[in-house]
């Protein structure tokens, strides 16, 4: 998931310069506007906790019938999973690759492409977001 708006406004010698402030990156990636609106419509409050991931896993996946909505919701689900991990697991942080792709980096050094995980969850429900959180919080 290339996020061109993260660095496209700032160019240095023809190179895109990505933001380096971890808090700014985390705040930007935590917006997940589409997922938050879908959850709110279903009566689920996303408060950036593991319990919210469990609540998302219980939603009726009405979005699977919308081929345009599905990939965007999957992106948001992955970013939301990463947001919960960053906010609750010591040492976890976002890392932006040179191409602008966000990956979750754990204190152990392990990197996880949570956006891909979110896409899988949105399209099939497997693995569950709460299960992924449990795995990531243990490493």
């Amino acid at each position: 998931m290339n996020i061109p708006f993260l660095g496209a406004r700032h160019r240095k010698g023809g190179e895109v310069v990505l933001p380096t402030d971890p808090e700014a990156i985390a705040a930007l990636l935590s917006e997940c506007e589409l997922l938050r609106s879908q959850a709110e419509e279903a009566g689920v409050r996303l408060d950036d906790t593991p319990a919210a991931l469990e609540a998302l896993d219980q939603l009726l996946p009405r979005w699977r019938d919308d081929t345009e909505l599905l990939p965007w919701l999957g992106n948001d689900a992955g970013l939301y999973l990463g947001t919960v991990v960053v906010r609750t697991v010591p040492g976890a942080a976002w890392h932006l690759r040179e191409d602008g792709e966000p990956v979750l980096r754990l204190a152990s050094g392990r990197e996880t492409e949570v956006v891909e995980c979110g896409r899988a969850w949105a399209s099939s429900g497997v693995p569950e977001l709460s299960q992924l959180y449990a795995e990531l919080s243990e490493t």
Side-chain angles (χ1 to χ4, degrees):
M1 178 190 129
N2 188 348
I3 306 179
F5 62 84
L6 286 177
R9 294 184 200 106
H10 307 289
R11 296 192 180 271
K12 184 178 181 179
E15 247 178 71
V16 173
V17 179
L18 298 172
T20 56
D21 176 26
E23 290 182 26
I25 293 168
L28 185 61
L29 295 178
S30 72
E31 289 181 5
C32 311
E33 199 171 308
L34 178 60
L35 180 69
R36 290 181 189 277
S37 70
Q38 292 283 317
E40 186 177 318
E41 285 178 20
V44 173
R45 182 175 170 270
L46 299 184
D47 59 0
D48 301 347
T49 64
L53 294 172
E54 292 174 13
L56 284 172
D57 288 335
Q58 301 305 312
L59 288 181
L60 186 61
R62 299 177 197 276
W63 58 83
R64 290 192 187 134
D65 296 332
D66 188 334
T67 57
E68 288 185 29
L69 183 66
L70 185 63
W72 293 105
L73 190 75
N75 285 341
D76 275 10
L79 294 175
Y80 185 73
L81 170 62
T83 294
V84 174
V85 172
V86 166
R87 294 190 175 161
T88 61
V89 176
W94 286 109
H95 170 72
L96 293 178
R97 294 186 181 155
E98 288 182 20
D99 64 358
E101 185 78 21
V103 294
L104 182 65
R105 185 177 287 164
L106 302 173
S108 66
R110 175 182 168 195
E111 287 188 356
T112 302
E113 294 185 14
V114 290
V115 170
E116 290 302 318
C117 297
R119 288 179 184 153
W121 174 83
S123 64
S124 69
V126 178
E128 292 183 335
L129 297 174
S130 58
Q131 176 187 349
L132 289 165
Y133 174 83
E135 292 171 13
L136 293 169
S137 64
E138 291 176 2
T139 57

